[in-house]
């Protein structure tokens, strides 16, 4: 039986972006009677930029199964086999906490902070899969 854990996040607020888009549409509808040419000149590029920001916002995430981990960092995704993971290193020193997956060959893969769940959840899920956790 394969136990898996998924965590996905998106920077920014989707609801706030949608609210701003609706406000932009309502503003254009109100100004249409006064100056339609100006509204079209300003509104269409603003609308296209707003929609592009909603669609192109990267999704970050972490998928952990008993066989592999998948770290998604926007357009980049990295698949790591659990057999090749030596340990998970958490570093809380400095201005921002950092998390690394250390592989058996000694190389390190830094996990993006946006793609990480709560540290206690991450520790629990890693140890459930037999990956030791070290604190630096």
């Amino acid at each position: 039986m394969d136990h898996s854990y998924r965590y996905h996040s998106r920077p920014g607020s989707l609801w706030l972006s949608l609210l701003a888009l609706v406000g932009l549409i309502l503003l254009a509808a109100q100004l249409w009677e006064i100056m339609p040419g100006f509204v079209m000149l300003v509104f269409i590029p603003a609308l296209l930029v707003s929609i592009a920001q909603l669609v192109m916002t990267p999704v970050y995430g972490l998928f952990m199964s008993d066989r592999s981990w998948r770290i998604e960092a926007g357009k980049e995704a990295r698949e790591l086999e659990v057999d090749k993971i030596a340990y998970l290193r958490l570093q809380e020193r400095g201005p921002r906490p950092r998390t690394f997956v250390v592989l058996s060959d000694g190389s390190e893969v830094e996990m993006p902070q946006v793609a990480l769940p709560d540290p206690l959840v991450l520790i629990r899920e890693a140890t459930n899969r037999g990956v030791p956790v070290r604190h630096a």
Side-chain angles (χ1 to χ4, degrees), residues 50-96:
S50 297
I51 291 173
Q53 285 178 340
L54 283 173
V55 171
M56 301 180 97
T57 300
V59 176
Y60 297 93
L62 175 65
F63 173 74
M64 301 168 86
S65 69
D66 291 336
R67 290 180 297 244
S68 66
W69 290 16
R70 181 173 174 86
I71 303 167
E72 298 173 358
K75 294 182 181 180
E76 297 178 18
R78 182 139 186 203
E79 189 91 18
L80 304 171
E81 293 180 23
V82 173
D83 297 339
K84 294 182 180 179
I85 298 175
Y87 59 91
L88 181 69
R89 181 167 56 98
L90 301 173
Q91 179 180 348
E92 294 182 355
R93 294 183 207 144
R96 64 182 180 100

Side-chain angles (χ1 to χ4, degrees), residues 13-79:
S13 171
L14 180 63
W15 293 109
L16 185 61
S17 298
L18 288 174
L19 182 66
L21 185 64
V22 168
L24 186 63
I25 291 170
L26 291 176
L27 178 65
Q30 290 296 318
L31 291 176
W32 184 260
E33 295 295 323
I34 301 169
M35 48 188 150
F38 179 72
V39 170
M40 293 302 285
L41 182 67
V42 173
F43 175 69
I44 290 179
L47 181 66
L48 291 176
V49 167
S50 297
I51 291 173
Q53 285 178 340
L54 283 173
V55 171
M56 301 180 97
T57 300
V59 176
Y60 297 93
L62 175 65
F63 173 74
M64 301 168 86
S65 69
D66 291 336
R67 290 180 297 244
S68 66
W69 290 16
R70 181 173 174 86
I71 303 167
E72 298 173 358
K75 294 182 181 180
E76 297 178 18
R78 182 139 186 203
E79 189 91 18

